[in-house]
Amino acid sequence: GAEPVAEAGRPVILVVDDDAGNRDVLARRLGRDGYLVQTAEDGAAALAALSAEGGPAVDLVLLDVMMPGMDGY
């Protein structure tokens, strides 16, 4: 997914969805609203993004519940 560079005062949102169109729409909209957005295509990628050292701290995760492999639960 996209790796945002943390900026003071801008919350980071991780958008997790197996549908690329949904990820893109959410990322664009949230970016226009002033958020830094990171994306992941599945649960495993989301866990990797959350545990990555040196990356920005994620303030909120928007998570699709029904995904193949590892679901949102």
Side-chain angles (χ1 to χ4, degrees):
E3 299 269 344
V5 176
E7 294 178 26
R10 291 187 65 193
V12 177
I13 298 177
L14 174 61
V15 174
V16 186
D17 197 317
D18 59 312
D19 184 290
N22 288 346
R23 283 193 314 270
D24 292 342
V25 167
L26 283 168
R28 281 195 314 269
R29 175 58 196 242
L30 293 167
R32 282 194 307 264
D33 287 343
Y35 296 97
L36 294 173
V37 180
Q38 188 171 2
T39 61
E41 65 276 357
D42 59 30
L47 291 175
L50 290 169
S51 65
E53 297 221 9
V58 173
D59 297 294
L60 177 71
V61 177
L62 294 179
L63 183 62
D64 182 14
V65 173
M66 296 178 62
M67 293 185 291
M70 182 184 297
D71 63 29
Y73 290 114

